[in-house]
Every structure is written in structure tokens, then in C-alpha cells.
Amino acid sequence: MPPERRRRVRPDRKTQVRPDRRAGARWGGPPRKAAPSCQRKSLAWPRAAAAAISVAAEEEERLRRRNRLTLEADKPAVERRLEELVFGDLEDDEDALLRRLRVPRVQVQEDSDDSEVEKEAKDNFLPQKKPVWLDEEDEDEEMVDMMNNRFRKDMMKNASENQLSKDELQKRLKEEFQHAMGGVPAWAEANKWKTPSDDESEEDEDDLLQRTGNFISTSTSLPKGILKMKNCQHANAERPTTARVSSVQFHPRAQVVMVAGLDNAVSLFQVDGKTNPKIQSIYLEKFPIFKACFSANGEEVLATSTHSKILYVYDMLAGKLIPVHQVRGLKEKIVRSFEVAPDGSFLLINGVAGYLHLLSMKTKELIGSMKINGRIAASTFSSDSKKVYASSGDGDVYVWDVNSRKCLNRFVDEGSLYGLSIATSRNGQYVACGSNCGVVNIYNQDSCLQETNPKPIKAVMNLVTGVTSLTFNPTTEILAIASANMKEAVRLVHLPSFTVFSNFPVVKKKNISLIHTMDFSPRSGYFALGNEKGKALMYRLHHYPDF
């Protein structure tokens, strides 16, 4: 260190004279002129007032803290903890409490929702209200009868579901609706009108791109193109016959199939897809069966012959065979073709000379008759059993009201010289008409009720001979069409695309032959056909999980 710096002596702070700022003196400069006495007094008064206010505020704050500490010492620990959760730790700054109280309620609710500790505190300390009184009937779950309603019968999966709770019925209705619509429609989606923020949507997209997996869910509707199916054991394998199978039908409530033919026998088989064991066979002497059919409730079997006016009724519960020799008022010499109403209330017999006879299903007595021009080629009920569709020999289709027995409409089946078959869909949407030229016209049912020359939605031209059989499956996703005049002449049409499944039938195997009757099981799990060789062919449709 240089000697000059060591010899330097710092001035004594105590002895150093501080310049008088009020006099205007500055460091290292000449003193300013003193201000007048009146000006000095006016400047000193605000400073003194500010100092007094500051001292009073500090004293007030000190007293407030002391009082708060005194109150906090008297409070229980639980109460102090709850105040911390609600108001926060605000011992040093009460203005923060006021700022938090000014925040909108929505933010406070969002903060409280995100706080698990606060939820726990609410559960522990907030009192729960109890009901004033309890009704025992509210606790009992109300059951809905499925048997006495024709619309609920189709939703039963097995015979034990005589009653369902309201929740189960609601679920079943949703399933039926989604089957008919091919999934949940856009207008029925619960989150359709919710618009998430841009930040949330970007986060979802980023999360989607960062994961791998199967993002395509399986649709509940039947896909078009290829129908996944398996060839099962013949339904009547335990009772083989060479006579033509004229009727094959699945039981509406049990896993049973009926096979009847020209061998004078009606046989019942248990459907398992493997052996299909025989349950019972009913032999009708000198009675080659033209048609056999279950009643709507499945308790009876009705059968007609090719050359007899007798109608046989087999009571399955009592095990009795009841012949109906004569229907009062019915003058038909031969009773062959008939239809059973879906609700089980009526029996429709196709007579000669264009007459349709409506009988009571319970008493088998004639209610009334309806007449069309020409001969009757085929007839069927609508899905609600309120209308009758009759196809005539001249290509016209008549629509009758069951209750009043009046003709509601008459329309021309486009391109048909004379009709051979007719069918209506279970959901009441379609009417299919088969003609002698092999064309199947599919109409909208509403247009058939209002127009005299309705345009078909689709004309299926995959057959070249007369269409003798038409059948919709219960879910209205498949239309089976067949001709008894040509071997392997059977097709399955997908709805609503109106395209034919390409993998059925397998033409190379040539095992189907001439088809005279067809039917789907109540849940579309099985499909059966009867041919002229006495075989009831049966297929398992994998898309449908139930029988």
C-alpha cells in the first residue's frame, strides 16, 4: 500500500458537521438562502400529520394482532383447521381475504372441486339432512309385465323373463333402438352440444397421438358384404326323411325348432347346433302337411293339409291334438294357406275366388271376410296386426284394415305380372313383394298406404325364377328371398344397403337344392331352410350372440 494512503486519516463521524438541509445547504457548496418562516411551517405540518397517522395505524395493527391471537388461543383445533381450509392462512394479510372473497363463485367452486382435503373436511364436518319420512312402496322395485303386451314380447330373450324391472326394460328398449338404427344416432348423443375449450381439445389430440391400439370399435349393426356364418347339423337329423319339408319355424320363446312336411309328421327339436335332439313327433294320418305354424305365444301348433279342409290344432301344454273340421260361416272345401297375427289375436285364411277369411285365434270362429279382384297369391299381417296385405294374381296389392275390414289402399307392384309372395318387416318399415319374374320389390310401408303407384326403394333382381318365399329377420337387417323352381336359388339381402351377401349360398357345394320354406330364430342367431329332399338346413349367424 502506498504511504500516502496509510497516512490519510478518515474524519471522525461524530465530529463531522452535517449540513442543514432546511437551510438549503449542500455538500461541498455554499449554503442556500433560508426560506421564509411561513413556508417552513406549511411544509412541516403535513410531515407531522403523516407521522402521527402511521404511528396510529401501527398501534391499531398491533392491537388487532393481539386480539386475534387471544381469540385463536380460545378456539378448538378443529375450528382453526376448518378456517384455514376455507379462508386460507391469512394471519399477516387480511386484505388477501377480501381479495379472495371478490373472486367469482365459479372459480371458488372449481378450486374447491380440485381440493381433496376440502372435500374430506366437508364430508367430516357438514351435517347430512335426513328424510322426514320413508315410503316402503318406493323401496320396492316395480316390475313390468312382458307377457301381456305384444311389443314387449319380442324383447324377451327367454321364457323366464315374464317380468322385468323398469331399469332392465329401459336398457332393453335402448338395445332394440340401437339395433334398428345401427348404433346411437348423432342427435341422441349426450355430449353432442358440449363444446370443450381449444386447450382441452389439443390435449386430447396430443394424448391420442401418443397412444397406440385399436381405435375402431365394433358396431352393433350388421355389416354388408360378407355374412359370417357356420353350417350346423340339420335340424331334423335325428328324424331323417325323404319327403319335402313344407314348413320350418323356430319357437317364439324357447330354443326349439319345428319341422313339418309331406310325410304327415310335425316334429320338434331342441336347437343346440350340434346334435339337435328330438323332443317330440306328431303323426297325422293321411294328412300331408301343406303348412304348420306356431301360435304367437308358442302354446299351439296349427297345421293344414294339401287336400283337406280340416285345421289341426295341437295344444302343447295339454298334449292334445284338436281337429277343427268345420268353421261356422266358412264354405271353403280346402284350407291350405293361412297366417297368424303377430299379436296372436287373429287367424287369416286365404280362400278361393279372392276371399280372405278373418278368424278369432282363441275360438277359431269366423269374424268376417274380405274380397279382392282375382285370386289371392299371398297375404300377411303388418307388424302391429292392424292391417292385412294381400297380393293378387294380377300384380296388385291390397291393404285392408283389420278392425273395420275396409280396403285402405290398392297399389300396383311395379313390373309384376302376378305376385307370388309378400312379407312385412318387424319394425314396420318395409314391404317386400315377390313376383313370377324373379324380381323382389322393396317398398317403404308408408308409400304403400298412400300411393297407388309407389316407387320401390330397391328392386332385387338376383333370382331368375318366381320368388316363392320371403322372410325378414327380427332385426330388419336381412331379407331372405328364395325360389322353389330352381336349385340353389336363395339369397340374403342386407338392409338398409339392399346389397346381397356374396358368400351365401356356396354354389360349389350344391347342398341347398330347392327351397320351400325359411325362418330366422327370435334373436336372429340361427337361420333355417327346408328343401325338397327332406332336410332342414340350419346355419349359425355369428353376428348375433343370442338364439
Side-chain angles (χ1 to χ4, degrees):
M1 182 180 292
E4 293 80 11
R5 290 191 177 183
R6 279 181 288 189
R7 289 195 298 269
R8 186 178 296 173
V9 180
R10 297 181 64 182
D12 190 4
R13 291 186 178 182
K14 294 182 180 180
T15 60
Q16 187 175 1
V17 180
R18 192 177 179 87
D20 190 358
R21 293 193 140 194
R22 289 177 296 179
R26 293 179 296 176
W27 293 100
R32 294 180 180 177
K33 293 182 180 181
S37 59
C38 62
Q39 186 177 357
R40 289 198 301 270
K41 290 180 181 179
S42 62
L43 292 174
W45 169 248
R47 291 194 186 100
I53 293 172
S54 176
V55 171
E58 291 177 359
E59 182 65 17
E60 184 180 356
E61 180 67 21
R62 185 180 64 81
L63 294 174
R64 188 184 302 168
R65 289 181 180 177
R66 186 181 66 182
N67 294 336
R68 184 165 58 247
L69 292 175
T70 303
L71 293 174
E72 290 292 331
D74 297 335
K75 289 181 180 179
V78 175
E79 187 176 352
R80 291 200 303 271
R81 179 59 178 166
L82 185 60
E83 287 184 358
E84 285 184 14
L85 292 174
V86 177
F87 301 106
D89 190 3
L90 303 172
E91 294 182 358
D92 299 329
D93 188 7
E94 288 187 356
D95 294 336
L97 174 60
L98 298 176
R99 288 194 299 269
R100 289 185 60 180
L101 293 176
R102 294 191 190 101
V103 178
R105 290 185 177 180
V106 177
Q107 298 181 8
V108 175
Q109 291 177 357
E110 291 177 355
D111 295 338
S112 62
D113 291 340
D114 296 336
S115 176
E116 297 180 359
V117 181
E118 183 175 348
K119 289 180 181 179
E120 183 179 358
K122 289 180 179 179
D123 295 338
N124 294 335
F125 301 111
L126 292 181
Q128 297 181 355
K129 294 183 178 180
K130 296 182 179 180
V132 179
W133 62 284
L134 296 175
D135 191 354
E136 296 179 356
E137 295 182 357
D138 293 342
E139 297 179 359
D140 297 337
E141 191 173 14
E142 186 176 352
M143 305 300 290
V144 180
D145 187 12
M146 303 292 292
M147 298 289 293
N148 297 327
N149 188 293
R150 63 176 181 269
F151 299 107
R152 296 173 189 158
K153 287 181 182 178
D154 300 333
M155 293 185 288
M156 294 174 58
K157 295 183 178 180
N158 51 61
S160 62
E161 292 184 341
N162 294 332
Q163 290 184 340
L164 289 179
S165 64
K166 287 187 175 180
D167 294 338
E168 290 294 331
L169 179 59
Q170 186 177 9
K171 292 179 182 179
R172 197 67 56 83
L173 289 171
K174 287 182 179 179
E175 292 175 2
E176 292 290 332
F177 177 76
Q178 292 180 7
H179 268 292
M181 298 298 295
V184 181
W187 56 265
E189 294 179 358
N191 298 327
K192 177 178 176 61
W193 305 109
K194 293 183 179 180
T195 55
S197 62
D198 295 339
D199 296 338
E200 292 179 355
S201 60
E202 291 178 0
E203 291 178 0
D204 295 340
E205 292 176 0
D206 295 340
D207 182 63
L208 180 65
L209 296 175
Q210 291 175 1
R211 292 185 291 109
T212 60
N214 184 15
F215 293 99
I216 303 177
S217 60
T218 303
S219 175
T220 57
S221 60
L222 180 67
K224 63 179 182 179
I226 295 177
L227 181 62
K228 295 181 180 180
M229 57 194 310
K230 181 182 72 172
N231 190 3
C232 301
Q233 178 69 279
H234 301 332
N236 60 343
E238 289 200 355
R239 191 189 179 279
T241 180
T242 58
R244 186 182 77 189
V245 175
S246 57
S247 295
V248 57
Q249 186 185 12
F250 290 95
H251 195 277
R253 297 181 183 177
Q255 200 160 332
V256 175
V257 63
M258 176 191 64
V259 179
L262 300 182
D263 59 349
N264 305 342
V266 178
S267 301
L268 302 177
F269 301 90
Q270 181 73 34
V271 178
D272 60 4
K274 298 178 182 179
T275 61
N276 304 319
K278 187 181 76 170
I279 300 174
Q280 187 181 11
S281 288
I282 306 157
Y283 183 78
L284 304 176
E285 188 176 358
K286 297 181 181 181
F287 199 84
I289 296 173
F290 178 82
K291 183 175 182 178
C293 182
F294 284 111
S295 61
N297 57 11
E299 297 178 358
E300 295 178 343
V301 175
L302 291 83
T304 58
S305 177
T306 57
H307 57 269
S308 176
K309 65 177 181 180
I310 299 176
L311 172 68
Y312 274 104
V313 179
Y314 177 68
D315 190 341
M316 298 180 64
L317 298 180
K320 293 181 180 180
L321 185 63
I322 306 170
V324 181
H325 294 278
Q326 181 67 41
V327 177
R328 184 180 300 177
L330 189 64
K331 299 180 180 180
E332 302 291 339
K333 294 182 179 180
I334 297 176
V335 177
R336 300 175 67 183
S337 181
F338 67 94
E339 298 293 331
V340 177
D343 64 354
S345 56
F346 301 107
L347 178 65
L348 184 70
I349 295 178
N350 297 342
V352 296
Y355 278 99
L356 292 164
H357 305 289
L358 192 67
L359 279 67
S360 171
M361 189 66 186
K362 185 176 181 180
T363 62
K364 308 300 185 295
E365 293 182 354
L366 181 65
I367 299 175
S369 299
M370 300 164 283
K371 189 180 186 307
I372 67 172
N373 297 332
R375 67 174 183 86
I376 297 175
S379 64
T380 186
F381 282 94
S382 61
S383 58
D384 58 1
S385 303
K386 294 182 179 180
K387 292 178 286 293
V388 170
Y389 291 82
S391 178
S392 66
D394 55 3
D396 292 342
V397 179
Y398 295 79
V399 186
W400 295 82
D401 180 71
V402 173
N403 294 328
S404 63
R405 290 179 295 284
K406 293 182 179 179
C407 185
L408 300 177
N409 191 26
R410 173 185 175 184
F411 67 91
V412 178
D413 184 16
E414 188 178 76
S416 174
L417 297 178
Y418 62 89
L420 291 178
S421 56
I422 190 169
T424 57
S425 62
R426 188 76 62 88
N427 65 352
Q429 185 176 1
Y430 302 115
V431 176
C433 300
S435 64
N436 64 316
C437 58
V439 178
V440 178
N441 289 327
I442 304 176
Y443 297 92
N444 189 308
Q445 194 167 139
D446 293 336
S447 63
C448 295
L449 298 174
Q450 300 171 1
E451 303 176 18
T452 57
N453 290 282
K455 294 295 181 182
I457 304 173
K458 177 68 176 180
V460 182
M461 301 182 181
N462 294 78
L463 301 179
V464 295
T465 55
V467 183
T468 55
S469 299
L470 291 173
T471 305
F472 285 94
N473 81 317
T475 61
T476 317
E477 293 177 309
I478 303 175
L479 171 62
I481 62 176
S483 174
N485 303 321
M486 185 176 181
K487 290 184 177 181
E488 314 298 317
V490 57
R491 299 291 186 271
L492 297 179
V493 182
H494 175 266
L495 302 175
S497 67
F498 304 103
T499 57
V500 175
F501 289 102
S502 60
N503 62 320
F504 184 83
V506 181
V507 182
K508 294 181 180 180
K509 293 186 177 181
K510 302 289 184 180
N511 60 347
I512 292 181
S513 193
L514 300 177
I515 298 301
H516 291 270
T517 179
M518 302 180 296
D519 191 35
F520 290 92
S521 61
R523 295 289 173 181
S524 304
Y526 288 89
F527 175 56
L529 309 95
N531 61 17
E532 93 286 357
K533 294 182 179 180
K535 294 181 180 180
L537 309 175
M538 193 163 63
Y539 297 87
R540 177 72 175 93
L541 307 185
H542 294 296
H543 176 78
Y544 302 99
D546 300 328
F547 171 76

